[in-house]
Structure formats: structure tokens, C-alpha cells
Amino acid sequence: MLTETRLNKTIRWISDEDKWQAVAKRDGKADGRFYYSVATTGVYCRPSCCARLARRENVAFHASCDDAEQAGFRPCKRCLPNSASIAERNADAVAKACETIRNAEEMPSLEYLAVQAGMSRFHFHRVFKSLTGVTPKAYASAYRAGRVREELRSSNTVTEAIYDAGYNSNSRFYERSHKMLGMTPSSYRAGGKGEKIRFAVAQCTLGAILGAASAKGICTILLGDDPDALVRQLQDAFPKADMIGGDPAFEDWMAQVIGLVEAPQLGHNPPLDIRGTAFQQRVWQALSEIPVGTKASYAEIAEKIGSPRATRAVAQACAANSIAVAIPCHRVVRKDGDLSGYRWGVERKQTLLDLESGEAGQ
């Protein structure tokens, strides 16, 4: 079965009437699929051209710029159909800005990036956020955080890792290090060595469930069929942390974790230790605001965080969530209502939604 995207590309604009409707709506999604010419002006345009709409009887359609030019038409000076589209130019400008940020020793100023892109500061900021899902500053922070994690694993010392990741002073790094890593740099470099992680495994409606917490709060909730496999996953995430199982003090927290599954209407809200990129944290925060018993589409979440084009990135952030149920990625579905995927299985996703709506067991 063809996907919706593929359908759009292959059959959406087959008939001239479909093409005319796209021109009338100035549908940017049709750009590059076909071009139209206007007999009275002698020019050809993209479907999204902002020029005054021509009369239908004066319009003809062409598969390519060459076809239109061979028919005797010249390119429109407004929409420049024979050059890269605005969307393509914006994507190229943002890609170059990202490369500039990655290669810079210091975060380039917004004004500098905007000048390089040939845009105003405001317009560049808006375009960058629309295409990447985060601001230039947040992108730089997330990239540098990733560099820090890599360098901490391979460098000889923490100081060496800090400078290799692009920080020019220890103080600036340490101001943000705990939020960035969820623990001290030395502990992260040592695979969580010295970090105390309390955990417990239990059974619930969904099968085996593992809850784990650092000193800040719940850092992991895993679901599965094999309890031992869940423990191994936790150990892989914190290979050198001090794992504490069977801690009586953790029983209350574990009861809340199980309550998130079995009694979601009670609104259990244990403290969380959330670790992720700036974009992931924005997505996860938006997920946490979806009321129990309701659903939202990936597109709606992208719209809510101010990045309407970042639907795919939202789906990836949901898949990267390691705190099941507490960060309710199970409440996110496709626009058509299909459950799509779920890190812990679509059947568990459906069960969670049924439990929240009161339909479980009916």
C-alpha cells in the first residue's frame, strides 16, 4: 500500500484540474511537480507563485522548465521557477548555518548567521527553528552536549574533554554540566561510577516493568516481557553506576510507577530526572501536558512546540523516550488516528490508551 507521502508525489496532480486547483491555492507542495505558463504574459511560474492569478483559459501546464521554455515561455522574475525554490534555499542556508555552528570554537552570533544566510535576524531565527525544531542557540547547546558526551568517553581527563568539546573555560561548562549530563562529568565519564541508581522490577498489566531513579528523580521506566532483560538494559545505560535493588525507600516510588499504568486517572506525578537534547525535552514536556484519556497527533505536538515542520523529529523524540508512561508518548498517534509505532510494542500502547479511557477489559 502506498504511503500518503508517496501518493502525494505520484497521483495528487495527475489531472489538469488538480494542477489548476494547486495553482489557485498557491500550493507550495506542488512546486517542482509541474509548472504553469500564462499565454497573455509569456511567462511560466511555480504553482506557488504569488503573482496575480491568471484566467484559467490562459493557463497551460508543463512537466519541466525546459518544456515551458521550449514552448516559448520565459521564467517568472517573481518566483524564479528555473532556480532553487525558497524552501530549498532556506534548507540550504540552515544546513550551512548548522555546519558553521558545529565548526565554530565560539557560538556565532545570530546576526552573523543571519548575514551569512542573506536574511534578517528575525527571519533567519524563524526559518532555522521551523526547519530544525530548535533555535540556533539551542542547536549549538545540544551539539556541544553531544560532543561533551563523546569526549568524556574517550579523553584522558575531564578538562581535556571540556576543551575538546569547544568550551573555552571550565566554569562555563560546569555551570551547565549537571543539567546536560544528569550527573557530574567525572561520573558520566566513568559510566555513571559513583552515581547511585535505585531500581525495582515488578509485574503489571503490561507485563514486566522496571523503574529506576537517581538522586533527582525517576530516570528510567522500561517495559517488556523478561525482567532480567530490563535489568540488563538499565545496566547498559549506567554500566558503572552503583545499582541498588530491593531498597525499601524506593517502594513508594515504585508504587507510583505502577500506578501510572494501573490507575492513570489518579494523576501520580513522581519527580523525574529527564535527560535528553533541548529538542527532545521540549517534545517530552509537550507530551506531559496531554490530558489522561486523550490523544494528540505528531503534527499537533510539532505545532505546539512551535516547529510545525518537525513531525518526523517529534516521532524520533518519542521513540527515544526512556521514561515510559510518566512521559506519555503512548498518547501520540498519527493524524489519521493510527497508533503507529511504540518503543515497547503497539499492543502495550493500545492497552495503555484503553486503561486511560476506561475501556480495558470491556
Side-chain angles (χ1 to χ4, degrees):
M1 181 176 179
L2 292 174
T3 63
E4 181 181 352
T5 301
R6 190 175 169 191
L7 279 169
N8 286 343
K9 292 181 178 180
T10 56
I11 69 173
R12 184 171 178 176
W13 297 291
I14 285 181
S15 72
D16 283 357
E17 181 57 29
D18 290 335
K19 294 174 182 176
W20 172 246
Q21 290 301 318
V23 170
K25 296 176 181 177
R26 294 179 170 82
D27 189 351
K29 295 178 181 178
D31 286 353
R33 310 298 180 198
F34 66 88
Y35 302 84
Y36 75 93
S37 60
V38 182
T40 53
T41 62
V43 303
Y44 72 94
C45 306
R46 303 175 188 276
S48 65
C49 184
C50 62
R52 182 178 177 181
L53 187 64
R55 296 173 64 90
R56 174 67 183 88
E57 60 266 26
N58 295 325
V59 172
F61 302 104
H62 310 273
S64 66
C65 294
D66 287 343
D67 288 348
E69 291 175 12
Q70 288 176 11
F73 296 94
R74 64 185 184 278
C76 171
K77 292 184 179 180
R78 284 192 178 186
C79 65
L80 304 173
N82 59 342
S83 64
S85 67
I86 293 176
E88 291 170 334
R89 293 198 296 273
N90 285 347
D92 184 59
V94 169
K96 289 179 179 177
C98 289
E99 184 177 6
T100 297
I101 291 171
R102 292 194 300 268
N103 293 333
E105 292 185 5
E106 290 284 337
M107 169 63 190
S109 68
L110 180 61
E111 183 174 1
Y112 175 82
L113 293 172
V115 169
Q116 295 298 307
M119 305 178 191
S120 69
R121 291 172 71 249
F122 173 79
H123 184 57
F124 172 76
H125 190 274
R126 186 167 55 118
V127 168
F128 190 99
K129 186 175 179 180
S130 174
L131 292 179
T132 66
V134 294
T135 65
K137 183 177 181 180
Y139 177 87
S141 297
Y143 174 74
R144 188 167 287 181
R147 284 281 309 278
V148 166
R149 294 187 186 98
E150 292 176 4
E151 296 295 341
L152 283 171
R153 295 189 186 102
S154 59
S155 299
N156 293 323
T157 66
V158 171
T159 299
E160 182 180 315
I162 292 171
Y163 285 99
D164 286 347
Y167 286 90
N168 58 10
S169 74
N170 285 3
S171 60
R172 289 182 60 196
F173 169 75
Y174 279 104
E175 286 173 1
R176 309 170 187 172
S177 63
H178 203 283
K179 183 177 181 180
M180 184 188 305
L181 302 172
M183 61 185 75
T184 67
S186 297
S187 293
Y188 187 91
R189 181 169 178 266
K193 186 175 182 179
E195 188 81 357
K196 288 180 170 32
I197 304 291
R198 293 177 294 161
F199 74 96
V201 181
Q203 291 291 318
C204 66
T205 300
L206 303 176
I209 183 169
L210 178 146
S214 68
K216 289 179 62 179
I218 299 291
C219 60
T220 304
I221 299 177
L222 304 176
L223 304 171
D225 298 316
D226 183 353
D228 291 337
L230 298 184
V231 174
R232 288 195 295 272
Q233 289 180 44
L234 180 66
Q235 291 172 332
D236 289 342
F238 303 97
K240 296 184 180 179
D242 185 6
M243 296 293 177
I244 305 171
D247 182 359
F250 189 63
E251 290 181 1
D252 288 342
W253 280 26
M254 195 60 193
Q256 292 187 57
V257 169
I258 297 173
L260 290 169
V261 175
E262 306 293 358
Q265 292 80 6
L266 295 182
H268 296 285
N269 189 28
L272 303 180
D273 180 1
I274 299 174
R275 308 175 186 193
T277 67
F279 180 79
Q280 287 172 336
Q281 292 194 38
R282 286 171 57 210
V283 172
W284 297 340
Q285 177 59 42
L287 301 187
S288 299
E289 295 170 3
I290 304 173
V292 173
T294 62
K295 294 177 284 189
S297 70
Y298 295 102
E300 287 171 336
I301 296 299
E303 188 76 34
K304 184 171 184 177
I305 65 174
S307 304
R309 299 184 184 179
T311 303
R312 182 174 296 180
V314 166
Q316 292 171 342
C318 290
N321 173 30
S322 62
I323 309 180
V325 196
I327 297 177
C329 52
H330 60 278
R331 295 176 192 160
V332 187
V333 298
R334 287 174 44 176
K335 187 179 291 187
D336 61 5
D338 184 87
L339 296 188
S340 185
Y342 186 53
R343 178 171 177 174
W344 295 281
V346 175
E347 290 185 0
R348 288 190 176 91
K349 185 172 188 173
Q350 183 64 68
T351 300
L352 282 167
L353 293 173
D354 289 345
L355 287 165
E356 292 187 356
S357 65
E359 296 178 4
Q362 296 183 9

